[in-house]
Amino acid sequence: MNMVGFVDATVLPPQLPAVLVRMQGRSAMVYAEIETDEALRRDGGGGLDDWELLDVLMSLPLGEPVPVRVLTPEQRRALDRAPEWAVTRAGGEAVRWCRTPVKPVLAVSFSRRWDPGLRTAHVFSSVCAQAVVLPSEPGDPLVAIEADQYGVGLGVGQPGGPVRVIVPPEPFRGRRHSLARWWFAEHVYAQLSAQKRNAVEAESAAVERQRLNQRL
């Protein structure tokens, strides 16, 4: 789906990966910029969904050793669960190497009606910009006014097709890096990684079927 119409192409390139993400019982397509260096460093390590561990990691400076003795017993136990690509421990010190693997840019709710679409968009308001895409232009002009008031993008289109923009979304202005935003980035990254693995496996299976058919 070409989302370049929602915001300037320098903010949202047209080929951003996207995945369907469920949050608080509501689903939206989340477009994200992959932090390539971090993804390569993880080398398929996936995402971190351990809230307690992420909380400890946020307290550690990136790339700098911290004496493990200054951590609480609960923090040390959480750190014990960290994969090797996230934290290294030696000589009584711990060094955090991991950081957020993606930057969520836009959550798009495809909805038949504006009100439920807006409710879904609001669920993602603390982590990225939001937009609602309807199958046809709303008959009520107040919908566009309300979208502009809330800073939520409004478009018309279908999943997988072009979107005509009526109201562009406001850029996301996160004041600080929070635990919730890091967890969400990890969740999106895990979903994108699983989606990529499934696509690779499906392609491999298709190639193998083709080879078998050629032998018959």
Side-chain angles (χ1 to χ4, degrees), residues 13-105:
Q15 299 302 323
L16 280 184
V19 68
L20 188 65
V21 177
R22 190 166 181 82
M23 188 174 177
Q24 297 180 21
R26 293 184 177 273
S27 300
M29 289 296 297
V30 174
Y31 291 75
E33 295 176 352
I34 295 179
E35 302 291 349
T36 306
D37 291 344
E38 176 65 8
L40 290 174
R41 195 190 63 77
R42 295 189 181 197
D43 191 24
L48 293 173
D49 61 357
D50 188 324
W51 188 274
E52 187 178 9
L53 173 58
L54 287 175
D55 191 25
V56 176
L57 294 178
M58 279 198 65
S59 68
L60 302 179
L62 180 65
E64 297 182 15
V66 173
V68 176
R69 67 176 183 276
V70 304
L71 304 177
T72 67
E74 292 79 10
Q75 289 176 320
R76 290 196 292 268
R77 283 194 293 271
L79 208 58
D80 289 339
R81 301 193 296 270
E84 292 183 357
W85 52 261
V87 178
T88 56
R89 297 176 62 173
E93 294 181 329
V95 182
R96 172 174 72 90
W97 299 108
C98 67
R99 54 190 177 88
T100 50
V102 300
K103 177 185 177 183
V105 176

Side-chain angles (χ1 to χ4, degrees), residues 5-195:
F6 270 110
V7 288
D8 185 83
T10 59
V11 179
L12 183 60
Q15 299 302 323
L16 280 184
V19 68
L20 188 65
V21 177
R22 190 166 181 82
M23 188 174 177
Q24 297 180 21
R26 293 184 177 273
S27 300
M29 289 296 297
V30 174
Y31 291 75
E33 295 176 352
I34 295 179
E35 302 291 349
T36 306
D37 291 344
E38 176 65 8
L40 290 174
R41 195 190 63 77
R42 295 189 181 197
D43 191 24
L48 293 173
D49 61 357
D50 188 324
W51 188 274
E52 187 178 9
L53 173 58
L54 287 175
D55 191 25
V56 176
L57 294 178
M58 279 198 65
S59 68
L60 302 179
L62 180 65
E64 297 182 15
V66 173
V68 176
R69 67 176 183 276
V70 304
L71 304 177
T72 67
E74 292 79 10
Q75 289 176 320
R76 290 196 292 268
R77 283 194 293 271
L79 208 58
D80 289 339
R81 301 193 296 270
E84 292 183 357
W85 52 261
V87 178
T88 56
R89 297 176 62 173
E93 294 181 329
V95 182
R96 172 174 72 90
W97 299 108
C98 67
R99 54 190 177 88
T100 50
V102 300
K103 177 185 177 183
V105 176
L106 181 67
V108 181
S109 169
F110 290 91
S111 177
R112 297 187 61 82
R113 296 185 295 114
W114 166 249
D115 288 340
L118 180 62
R119 287 193 290 270
T120 296
H122 279 325
V123 168
F124 296 85
S125 61
S126 64
V127 290
C128 61
Q130 318 98 59
V132 177
V133 174
L134 303 175
S136 59
E137 188 164 346
D140 187 352
L142 292 179
V143 169
I145 296 175
E146 189 174 9
D148 184 65
Q149 178 183 359
Y150 285 114
V152 174
L154 174 62
V156 175
Q158 298 288 342
V163 170
R164 181 168 60 85
V165 178
I166 299 175
V167 178
E170 288 186 1
F172 179 70
R173 294 183 177 88
R175 294 185 178 180
R176 63 184 180 85
H177 183 53
S178 67
L179 177 59
R181 287 174 60 192
W182 191 352
W183 180 89
F184 183 73
E186 294 285 350
H187 182 60
V188 171
Y189 179 70
Q191 297 284 86
L192 286 170
S193 298
Q195 181 175 268

